């Protein structure tokens, strides 16, 4: 009886060791860059830039983060084909780009960043994704929640 118990414990312990150390497949996530990092990387190795323009208070932005950008297929595609940028449209830090210094503008309760306004053609709508070509020219902004498909 004791021998059966010891064998059972040994078997359970062995299974825990074997299955506990099997590596789980790593799901890819989007490697987000700052705007400046993406420009620098694209200058070194040309690639389009994908910009997710969001705000901290935007509910649909959070839903898109959860449903769209956490999708492994979307993450893989963005990482392989773009330099993905997560850009807070209300960030306070200046950004130097194309010989221009873009700044935060106090306006109403929150304000906005000049670069966000430039990327969104002065139509501040969140979330909006913006595509820039290899020369940093705007291809197209797509306002609104984008489903994974």
């Amino acid at each position: 009886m004791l021998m059966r118990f010891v064998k059972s414990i040994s078997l359970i312990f062995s299974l825990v060791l074997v299955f506990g150390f099997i590596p789980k497949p790593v799901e890819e996530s989007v490697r987000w860059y700052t705007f400046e990092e993406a420009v620098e990387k694209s200058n070194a190795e040309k690639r389009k830039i994908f910009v997710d323009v969001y705000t901290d208070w935007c509910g649909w932005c959070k839903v898109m983060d959860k449903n769209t950008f956490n999708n492994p297929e979307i993450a893989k595609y963005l990482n392989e084909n773009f330099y993905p940028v997560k850009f807070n449209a209300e960030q306070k830090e200046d950004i130097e780009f194309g010989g221009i210094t873009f700044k935060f503008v106090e306006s109403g309760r929150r304000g906005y960043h000049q670069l966000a306004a430039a990327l969104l053609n002065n139509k501040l709508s969140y979330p909006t994704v913006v595509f820039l070509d290899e020369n940093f020219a705007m291809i197209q902004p797509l306002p609104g929640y984008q489903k994974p498909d």
Side-chain angles (χ1 to χ4, degrees):
M1 180 98 160
L2 181 61
M3 193 58 143
R4 222 185 281 166
F5 177 74
V6 170
K7 284 183 181 179
S8 297
I9 294 296
S10 295
L11 177 63
I12 291 171
F13 183 71
S14 297
L15 289 173
V16 167
L17 280 176
V18 168
F19 291 107
F21 290 109
I22 293 177
K24 295 178 181 148
V26 176
E27 289 191 0
E28 191 160 1
S29 61
V30 179
R31 290 184 306 263
W32 295 109
Y33 297 98
T34 66
F35 192 81
E36 298 90 340
E37 289 170 337
V39 168
E40 185 178 318
K41 287 187 103 22
S42 187
N43 280 330
E45 183 182 329
K46 293 292 186 192
R47 194 184 295 180
K48 291 176 179 64
I49 296 177
F50 172 91
V51 185
D52 173 33
V53 183
Y54 75 98
T55 63
D56 291 332
W57 52 265
C58 168
W60 283 109
C61 298
K62 291 174 177 43
V63 173
M64 200 156 88
D65 283 343
K66 180 181 175 199
N67 295 339
T68 304
F69 297 132
N70 276 335
N71 180 307
E73 290 177 44
I74 300 294
K76 183 176 192 281
Y77 186 82
L78 287 175
N79 291 335
E80 289 176 357
N81 296 285
F82 297 90
Y83 293 116
V85 172
K86 194 93 162 129
F87 184 71
N88 185 341
E90 296 175 342
Q91 80 170 41
K92 305 275 195 266
E93 297 82 21
D94 293 353
I95 293 181
E96 299 276 336
F97 175 63
I100 300 170
T101 301
F102 293 90
K103 298 177 174 286
F104 178 77
V105 176
E106 295 283 344
S107 177
R109 294 185 320 189
R110 292 191 175 95
Y112 63 93
H113 200 279
Q114 290 174 327
L115 183 57
L119 290 170
L120 304 180
N121 295 321
N122 289 316
K123 296 175 184 160
L124 300 175
S125 172
Y126 315 110
T128 296
V129 297
V130 180
F131 298 89
L132 304 177
D133 70 15
E134 293 86 346
N135 299 311
F136 313 114
M138 188 181 316
I139 297 171
Q140 180 177 8
L142 291 173
Y145 172 74
Q146 304 298 318
K147 295 178 182 177
D149 52 334

